[in-house]
Amino acid sequence: MTKWLQSGRRRDICVLLAADPELHGQQVKSRLESHYDDRIEPKAFYGSLSALVDAGFVEKRTEGIHDVYALTEAGDRRVREHYEWMGECLELEGESAESSLERE
């Protein structure tokens, strides 16, 4: 796994951008805060977003007075790889639970 995926916030930012291809930074921040049911410090949030831009997983462009963010092809690929990995893990966990029930 690449280092960028080790941060849950970075993963969640990428997931939001995969679901809605172009968002203003504040829109992403608001959606995360709503999901986490907690306020995110702007400095921490925009640091995560900048790290994703610097790593080449998110692109940033200015539209009027707003910065608009979108996943790059590399970012989209990583989100999908992570999604597949999670699915595999959940399937294996489901199989383990089923075999435990069968032994009882």
Side-chain angles (χ1 to χ4, degrees):
M1 169 172 41
T2 60
K3 189 170 184 166
W4 77 278
L5 280 177
Q6 292 176 0
S7 163
R9 180 176 295 145
R10 291 180 192 175
R11 274 194 308 267
D12 292 347
I13 288 170
C14 290
V15 167
L16 288 174
L17 291 173
D20 198 342
E22 293 190 347
L23 293 170
H24 297 152
Q26 186 58 46
Q27 289 174 306
V28 177
K29 184 176 178 292
S30 294
R31 290 179 188 189
L32 281 180
E33 289 174 333
S34 182
H35 176 70
Y36 296 156
D37 196 26
D38 197 14
R39 182 177 181 280
I40 302 170
E41 290 295 323
K43 186 175 181 178
F45 170 76
Y46 285 102
S48 295
L49 201 49
S50 291
L52 288 166
V53 171
D54 292 346
F57 297 112
V58 171
E59 62 186 11
K60 170 183 153 181
R61 74 173 198 287
T62 302
E63 196 174 89
I65 62 169
H66 300 284
D67 289 331
V68 178
Y69 296 88
L71 277 184
T72 62
E73 188 176 313
D76 186 68
R77 184 174 55 251
R78 296 296 169 92
V79 167
R80 294 185 187 290
E81 288 170 357
H82 190 72
Y83 176 79
E84 288 174 19
W85 175 76
M86 287 177 60
E88 290 168 5
C89 289
L90 293 172
E91 284 177 16
L92 291 174
E93 186 176 303
E95 290 171 10
S96 294
E98 287 175 15
S99 57
S100 293
L101 288 175
E102 290 172 2
R103 283 182 268 167
E104 292 177 359

